[in-house]
Amino acid sequence: MAAFRAAVLVLLGLRLGCAAAAVPLVIWHGMGDSCCNPRSIGYIKKIVENKIPGIYVLSLKIGNNLIEDMENSFFMNANDQVRDVCGQLANDPHLKGGYNAMGFSQGGQFLRAVAQRCPSPPMFNLISIGGQHQGSVYGFPRCPGESSHICDWIRKMLDLGAYTQAVQEHLVQAEYWHDPLKEEDYRKNSIFLADINQERGINETYKKNLMALKKFVMVKFLNDTMVDPPISEWFGFYKSGQATETIPLRETSLYKEDRLGLQEMDKAGKLVFLGVKGDHLQFSEEWFDTTVLPFLQ
């Protein structure tokens, strides 16, 4: 009888432990930010930890310190950043059973690249908050950063030629620069976005890995003045050959040809489109608590 009671208690303990265990969360910050800024990503990390007791949150740092992390968001090849992160995730014992991912601005599309290229450990839900999944073009209206000279230099480089090899390899923002008036240049010379969006052919592994997500949540800022066009945050873009009229994801060739599996994911209820009033990355804690946190629990 004592042995039976002990076995029951062990089973109950295992079940309770499994029920209480929160799915780990990986966060990737946006351009000009860092992993642990107390006014941005550090604040988000604390909110999640306070609302979901016991959760393990990894806020990604690219580089050896916060300054390098910020600088790398401008100047480290996006493919190298994704490779670095894939290594971090694979070597983190807290993530071996899988994790949810939440990316802010360019961090959203970079985490999508992680989902497509690095399926182990598995990503369950991907939450993209203001991520430019079809890219962004035209100007740099609100470039963040500690000093304006960095932003001025970036503008000059983009003006000189976003699709030149030198600029592509050394300027992150050029790597997701998508000019609807230069579609052929974009497809041929974009070293990051054109690849993860299957613009030069179909990588079936990318497609399979992305379709393994349980949910792909895309948040669009309804008054965004930084991402051009804002509908890129919902995977829409300009009609090809002009820069006035935009089309939603379901009218794009990417969706119709199902190059990434988004059509199939949509039909399966895996795509979630959320809108929030405000400019780029401007949202309230209340909105975050009620709208985003449920996808992490």
Side-chain angles (χ1 to χ4, degrees), residues 6-265:
V8 169
L9 288 172
V10 168
L11 280 172
L12 285 173
L14 287 172
R15 287 178 179 175
L16 289 171
C18 289
V23 176
L25 174 65
V26 173
I27 301 176
W28 200 333
H29 63 78
M31 172 178 67
D33 205 350
S34 68
C35 66
C36 314
N37 186 334
R39 293 179 295 176
S40 56
I41 298 302
Y43 182 67
I44 294 293
K45 183 174 183 288
K46 283 188 176 181
I47 290 177
V48 173
E49 290 171 337
N50 289 335
K51 297 290 184 178
I52 309 177
I55 190 172
Y56 172 72
V57 181
L58 171 64
S59 185
L60 293 165
K61 180 174 68 174
I62 315 299
N64 296 317
N65 53 58
L66 300 189
I67 298 298
E68 285 188 11
D69 190 21
M70 184 274 288
E71 291 177 344
N72 286 336
S73 74
F74 291 110
F75 305 122
M76 183 178 178
N77 188 302
N79 295 299
D80 294 335
Q81 291 192 54
V82 169
R83 191 176 300 111
D84 179 283
V85 165
C86 288
Q88 290 189 45
L89 304 185
N91 292 321
D92 191 328
H94 295 93
L95 305 177
K96 61 182 180 181
Y99 63 97
N100 291 322
M102 180 165 56
F104 292 83
S105 196
Q106 69 184 28
Q109 58 179 299
F110 292 175
L111 279 171
R112 173 165 65 87
V114 170
Q116 292 174 208
R117 294 175 176 176
C118 308
S120 181
M123 184 187 296
F124 299 139
N125 294 327
L126 171 57
I127 303 167
S128 168
I129 300 179
Q132 309 93 328
H133 292 285
Q134 285 274 28
S136 184
V137 294
Y138 300 133
F140 219 37
R142 288 175 50 249
C143 169
E146 296 300 321
S147 57
S148 61
H149 74 272
I150 294 179
C151 299
D152 290 340
W153 183 87
I154 291 172
R155 289 187 184 97
K156 288 178 182 177
M157 291 302 100
L158 292 172
D159 287 341
L160 284 174
Y163 298 122
T164 63
Q165 184 177 352
V167 175
Q168 279 289 309
E169 291 180 354
H170 300 290
L171 181 57
V172 169
Q173 289 66 43
E175 294 162 18
Y176 56 84
W177 193 259
H178 187 175
D179 190 335
L181 304 181
K182 298 179 180 178
E183 287 283 0
E184 189 60 29
D185 285 345
Y186 158 70
R187 279 191 292 269
K188 286 174 58 178
N189 299 311
S190 169
I191 66 172
F192 177 69
L193 188 68
D195 176 67
I196 65 169
N197 279 5
Q198 309 271 51
E199 300 282 7
R200 293 188 286 263
I202 305 299
N203 182 326
E204 292 295 342
T205 300
Y206 282 6
K207 185 173 179 178
K208 175 185 175 183
N209 290 343
L210 189 65
M211 290 175 63
L213 289 173
K214 295 179 179 179
K215 294 288 184 182
F216 181 6
V217 181
M218 289 169 270
V219 176
K220 173 188 171 186
F221 290 90
L222 302 179
N223 310 103
D224 204 313
T225 62
M226 187 169 181
V227 175
D228 185 359
I231 201 171
S232 178
E233 296 167 9
W234 279 350
F235 242 117
F237 200 61
Y238 288 114
K239 275 190 174 180
S240 185
Q242 52 85 58
T244 304
E245 186 179 356
T246 61
I247 56 174
L249 168 63
R250 294 183 181 101
E251 294 179 22
T252 65
S253 59
L254 177 71
Y255 184 91
K256 291 177 178 178
E257 297 168 8
D258 211 16
R259 299 199 303 264
L260 275 175
L262 294 173
Q263 183 183 137
E264 193 168 336
M265 292 176 73

